[in-house]
C-alpha cells in the first residue's frame, strides 16, 4: 500500500508541474483582492494534475482487479471526470454560476441515484440528504481553494482517515481508493503549501469535494463506519466553511466564487 501512495504522489507531483506550466503559458492567474488570501498573482488550474493522476490510478485498479465491484468506482470516476472538465472550462472562461450549479446538481443527483440503485443508499430521506451533502461539499472545497494548502491538506487528512476506516471494516476497494487520493493530494501539496506556486482551481477543487463527499456517503451506506464518524472526520472544514458562507448569505454578499 505504501508503494501505491508513493507512486500516486510522484505522478501527481509531475502532472501538477505540467499543469502549472500550462497555466502560466495560458495566463490563468488568480489575482489578489479583498476576498483573497494571497498578495500576488498565482496560477490556477494545478488541480488538473492530481485529478488526472487519480483517474489514471483508479482506472488501472479497476482493470487489474477483476473482482472489484464496479458500481462505486465507476460512479466516482464518472463524477470526478465530469466536474473536473466543468472546472477546467470555468478556469478558462468563467462560467455563469447557474450553469455551474446546474451541472453540479445533475452530477450529484445521478451519482446518488446509481448508488441507491446499487443498494448503497436506502430510502428517500437518506438519498436526498446524500444529494445535498455531495453538492454542498463540492462547493465548499471550491470556496476554500484559494487558501494555501487548506483544501489539499484537508483532502490528505480525510483520505488517510478514510483509508484506515475502510481497511478496518475489510473494504479494500474503499481503502485503496482513499489511499490513491492520499497520494494525489500529497503530490499536489508541495506546489501549494507556503508561498503557493499554483492553486487547484475549479478543475481540482470541484473534483476533490466530490470525491471526499462520495467516499463518505459510500462508507456510511455500506456500514464501513457510522454517520457521526463520517461527519467528525470532516467537521472542522465543513463547519468553518459553512458558517463563513452562511454569514455572507445573511449579509447579502456574494457567497459563491
Amino acid at each position: 500500500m505504501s508503494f501505491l501512495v508513493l507512486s500516486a504522489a510522484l505522478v501527481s507531483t509531475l502532472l501538477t508541474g505540467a499543469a502549472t506550466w500550462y497555466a502560466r503559458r495560458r495566463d490563468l492567474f488568480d489575482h489578489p483582492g479583498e476576498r483573497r488570501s494571497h498578495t500576488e498573482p498565482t496560477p490556477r488550474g494545478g488541480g488538473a494534475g492530481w485529478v488526472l493522476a487519480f483517474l489514471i490510478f483508479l482506472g488501472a485498479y479497476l482493470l487489474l482487479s477483476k473482482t472489484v465491484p464496479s458500481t462505486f468506482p465507476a460512479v466516482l470516476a464518472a463524477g470526478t471526470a465530469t466536474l473536473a472538465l466543468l472546472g477546467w472550462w470555468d478556469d478558462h472562461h468563467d462560467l455563469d454560476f447557474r450553469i455551474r450549479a446546474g451541472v453540479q446538481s445533475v452530477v450529484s443527483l445521478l451519482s446518488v441515484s446509481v448508488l441507491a440503485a446499487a443498494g448503497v443508499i436506502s430510502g428517500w430521506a437518506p438519498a436526498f440528504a446524500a444529494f445535498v451533502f455531495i453538492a454542498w461539499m463540492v462547493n465548499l472545497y471550491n470556496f476554500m481553494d484559494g487558501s494555501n494548502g487548506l483544501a489539499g491538506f484537508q483532502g490528505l487528512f480525510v483520505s488517510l482517515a478514510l483509508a484506515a476506516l475502510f481497511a478496518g471494516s475489510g473494504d479494500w476497494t474503499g481503502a485503496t481508493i482513499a489511499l490513491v487520493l492520499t497520494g494525489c493530494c500529497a503530490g499536489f501539496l508541495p506546489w501549494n503549501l507556503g508561498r503557493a506556486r499554483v492553486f487547484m482551481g475549479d478543475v481540482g477543487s470541484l473534483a476533490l469535494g466530490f470525491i471526499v463527499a462520495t467516499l463518505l456517503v459510500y462508507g456510511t451506506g455500506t456500514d464501513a463506519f457510522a454517520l457521526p464518524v463520517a461527519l467528525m472526520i470532516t467537521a472542522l472544514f465543513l463547519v468553518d466553511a459553512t458558517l463563513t458562507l452562511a454569514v455572507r448569505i445573511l449579509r447579502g454578499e456574494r457567497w459563491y466564487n
Side-chain angles (χ1 to χ4, degrees):
M1 289 297 184
S2 59
F3 176 76
L4 175 67
V5 175
L6 290 173
S7 299
L10 176 60
V11 175
S12 174
T13 298
L14 293 174
L15 291 177
T16 299
T20 303
W21 173 84
Y22 172 82
R24 289 185 176 278
R25 290 272 298 182
R26 292 296 302 271
D27 198 30
L28 302 177
F29 283 89
D30 267 346
H31 294 276
E34 182 181 349
R35 290 171 54 183
R36 304 287 183 178
S37 61
H38 56 289
T39 57
E40 57 186 63
T42 304
R44 66 175 183 267
W50 77 256
V51 171
L52 183 55
F54 178 81
L55 291 173
I56 289 172
F57 277 84
L58 181 58
Y61 178 62
L62 283 170
L63 288 174
L64 296 174
S65 304
K66 297 179 182 179
T67 59
V68 173
S70 60
T71 301
F72 172 64
V75 166
L76 197 61
T80 299
T82 302
L83 289 177
L85 287 171
L86 173 72
W88 183 87
W89 191 262
D90 194 28
D91 284 332
H92 287 73
H93 303 288
D94 291 326
L95 286 173
D96 185 276
F97 171 71
R98 291 166 293 185
I99 296 175
R100 288 166 40 120
V103 175
Q104 292 167 16
S105 297
V106 170
V107 170
S108 301
L109 181 60
L110 289 177
S111 300
V112 168
S113 298
V114 174
L115 292 176
V120 175
I121 304 172
S122 300
W124 284 102
F128 179 73
F131 162 71
V132 172
F133 179 71
I134 293 174
W136 189 237
M137 287 287 282
V138 167
N139 282 280
L140 289 188
Y141 273 81
N142 182 227
F143 171 69
M144 299 300 284
D145 173 46
S147 299
N148 296 2
L150 184 57
F153 188 78
Q154 179 68 9
L156 179 67
F157 168 76
V158 171
S159 59
L160 269 176
L162 287 175
L165 289 170
F166 279 122
S169 70
D171 186 338
W172 296 107
T173 297
T176 301
I177 293 173
L179 285 174
V180 169
L181 180 60
T182 298
C184 290
C185 288
F188 171 77
L189 280 173
W191 293 92
N192 184 241
L193 280 173
R195 183 175 175 271
R197 286 180 282 173
V198 72
F199 291 139
M200 278 193 191
D202 290 353
V203 61
S205 57
L206 296 179
L208 182 57
F210 175 78
I211 296 168
V212 169
T214 308
L215 281 169
L216 290 167
V217 169
Y218 169 75
T220 55
T222 57
D223 294 324
F225 43 82
L227 178 60
V229 175
L231 295 175
M232 183 172 60
I233 291 173
T234 191
L236 181 62
F237 194 80
L238 181 63
V239 173
D240 177 54
T242 299
L243 288 177
T244 301
L245 290 176
V247 168
R248 289 187 177 180
I249 292 171
L250 291 174
R251 289 176 176 174
E253 300 174 356
R254 183 187 178 201
W255 59 272
Y256 53 88
N257 290 344

